[in-house]
């Protein structure tokens, strides 16, 4: 039997996982040092945004995450393919709140897309009594986004390209956040999440485990944020450098952190920022902590 949509348990469930989403955003931005990204060390390859912009943005977005979860519960009787238009409207409204909080700076647009989908999947699973496990949620996201790349990116000529995403697809074959969502966050589920869990098992300090997971994402993600700034050559360089860092066996944690700081300096010099990988790191942390935040219908 489905749970009534106006019950206090559902409201608490929404608040519960919205808080986890906020923690994921805050954990990512405060993680230091990150190559080319805003953190507590510097503003990365960005001249228009600061750490505090991300803090304000995360708080603004967190207030909207319960709406995504509730929408997922409210539309549980619909097929996954039919709920994306309503999610898009919510996402655009959430973006407006982000821009108000940051005075027009795009800090978390990709995160709104990714966390919005995952939160909707959580609400759907709650309402249908389906498992709230990472793989199950990502499978639902893939169903929601089925055909998204073909519908929104497949164009025939430069004249038809109206968005940066369409231009990157046409010129470089990069599907960006849409492709990752349609795959059910395959990079996260198949690479980043297992790597992060392994780092934790090996007893790495939490920040270093997360930094190494970011390097895994940078090494394998065809990041449209990087490609839009540095082209395919910039993308190839940043992936190659991340792979080199991962393959290197440091003599100490201090040496490894020094190498990451050097990578950061190089990214800044080249004006490269792997923002797409940062968004996927937020997804990785969020999914990895679901078990710690596991909610029961009896709560």
């Amino acid at each position: 039997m489905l749970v009534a949509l106006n019950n206090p348990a559902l409201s608490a469930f929404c608040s519960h996982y919205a808080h986890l989403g906020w923690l994921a955003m805050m954990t990512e931005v405060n993680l230091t040092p990150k190559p080319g990204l805003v953190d507590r060390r510097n503003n990365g390859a960005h001249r228009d945004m600061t750490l505090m912009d991300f803090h304000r943005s995360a708080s603004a977005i967190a207030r909207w995450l319960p709406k995504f979860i509730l929408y997922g519960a409210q539309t549980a009787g619909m097929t996954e393919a039919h709920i994306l238009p309503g999610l898009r409207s919510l996402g655009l409204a959430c973006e407006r709140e982000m821009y108000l909080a940051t005075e027009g700076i795009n800090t978390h647009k990709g995160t709104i897309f990714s966390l919005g989908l995952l939160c909707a999947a959580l609400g759907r699973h709650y309402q249908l009594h389906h498992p709230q496990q990472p793989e199950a949620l990502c499978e639902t996201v893939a169903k929601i986004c089925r055909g998204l790349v073909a519908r929104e990116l497949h164009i025939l000529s430069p004249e038809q390209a109206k968005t940066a995403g369409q231009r990157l697809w046409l010129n470089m074959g990069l599907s960006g956040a849409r492709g990752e969502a349609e795959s059910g966050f395959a990079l996260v589920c198949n690479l980043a999440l297992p790597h992060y869990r392994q780092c934790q098992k090996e007893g790495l300090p939490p920040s270093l485990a997360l930094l190494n997971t970011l390097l895994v994402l940078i090494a394998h993600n065809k990041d449209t944020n990087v490609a839009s700034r540095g082209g395919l050559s910039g993308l190839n360089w940043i992936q190659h450098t991340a792979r080199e860092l991962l393959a290197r066996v440091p003599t100490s944690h201090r040496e490894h952190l020094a190498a990451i700081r050097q990578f950061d300096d190089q990214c800044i010099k080249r004006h490269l920022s792997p923002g797409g990988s940062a968004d996927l790191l937020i997804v990785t942390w969020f999914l990895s902590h679901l078990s710690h935040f596991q909610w029961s219908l009896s709560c």
Side-chain angles (χ1 to χ4, degrees):
M1 182 176 178
L2 296 183
V3 178
L5 291 173
N6 60 350
N7 74 80
L10 178 55
S11 296
F13 179 89
C14 292
S15 298
H16 185 75
Y17 283 110
H19 181 63
L20 183 64
W22 176 78
L23 285 174
M25 288 184 282
M26 293 296 289
T27 298
E28 182 279 323
V29 73
N30 288 326
L31 182 67
T32 304
K34 295 193 302 289
L37 296 161
V38 173
D39 58 23
R40 290 181 288 106
R41 180 178 185 238
N42 56 44
N43 295 339
H46 299 275
R47 297 177 181 174
D48 62 340
M49 56 184 70
T50 68
L51 186 71
M52 291 310 300
D53 289 323
F54 278 86
H55 286 187
R56 286 190 290 269
S57 175
S59 295
I61 293 166
R63 292 193 289 271
W64 276 82
L65 294 181
K67 300 178 189 293
F68 288 97
I69 300 171
L70 184 60
Y71 177 81
Q74 290 172 330
T75 57
M78 300 167 60
T79 62
E80 290 92 348
H82 288 91
I83 71 174
L84 192 57
L87 272 178
R88 190 184 301 276
S89 298
L90 273 178
L92 290 172
C94 184
E95 278 183 25
R96 287 193 289 272
E97 290 298 316
M98 174 194 74
Y99 284 125
L100 282 174
T102 62
E103 297 182 352
I105 298 170
N106 174 14
T107 46
H108 281 116
K109 189 173 180 179
T111 298
I112 292 171
F113 178 66
S114 299
L115 279 186
L117 285 164
L118 283 170
C119 284
L122 272 167
R124 183 179 184 87
H125 283 221
Y126 177 97
Q127 188 72 358
L128 297 175
H129 295 197
H130 287 175
Q132 298 153 20
Q133 301 299 328
E135 294 77 13
L137 292 170
C138 288
E139 184 179 347
T140 294
V141 169
K143 291 177 181 178
I144 293 172
C145 296
R146 184 173 294 159
L148 183 62
V149 171
R151 288 194 305 273
E152 298 193 1
L153 296 184
H154 284 194
I155 55 176
L156 300 176
S157 67
E159 291 74 21
Q160 292 178 299
K162 297 179 181 178
T163 68
Q166 289 175 332
R167 288 188 290 273
L168 286 166
W169 171 261
L170 184 66
N171 297 328
M172 304 181 195
L174 305 180
S175 59
R178 292 178 181 87
E180 281 304 310
E182 190 172 349
S183 76
F185 299 115
L187 270 180
V188 171
C189 291
N190 298 334
L191 287 173
L193 195 53
H195 184 85
Y196 185 47
R197 287 169 173 165
Q198 184 59 36
C199 287
Q200 291 175 310
K201 285 181 181 178
E202 293 175 0
L204 262 68
S207 61
L208 196 57
L210 206 53
L211 283 170
N212 279 346
T213 304
L214 176 60
L215 290 177
V216 167
L217 286 166
I218 294 172
H220 293 90
N221 183 29
K222 295 180 179 178
D223 197 318
T224 52
N225 288 266
V226 174
S228 65
R229 287 168 171 251
L232 285 178
S233 62
L235 180 58
N236 290 335
W237 174 83
I238 204 170
Q239 289 183 315
H240 176 74
T241 306
R243 291 190 189 107
E244 281 191 330
L245 271 177
L246 288 166
R248 188 182 304 170
V249 181
T251 58
S252 66
H253 295 335
R254 180 177 296 181
E255 180 191 344
H256 192 42
L257 287 172
I260 296 174
R261 282 193 290 270
Q262 185 178 15
F263 188 18
D264 182 28
D265 294 338
Q266 292 171 326
C267 286
I268 293 170
K269 186 176 180 179
R270 291 170 179 260
H271 196 54
L272 298 178
S273 176
S277 296
D279 290 333
L280 293 178
L281 189 68
I282 291 172
V283 170
T284 302
W285 193 93
F286 182 82
L287 292 175
S288 74
H289 285 74
L290 281 176
S291 60
H292 303 301
F293 268 67
Q294 197 64 56
W295 186 268
S296 168
L297 286 173
S298 64
C299 290

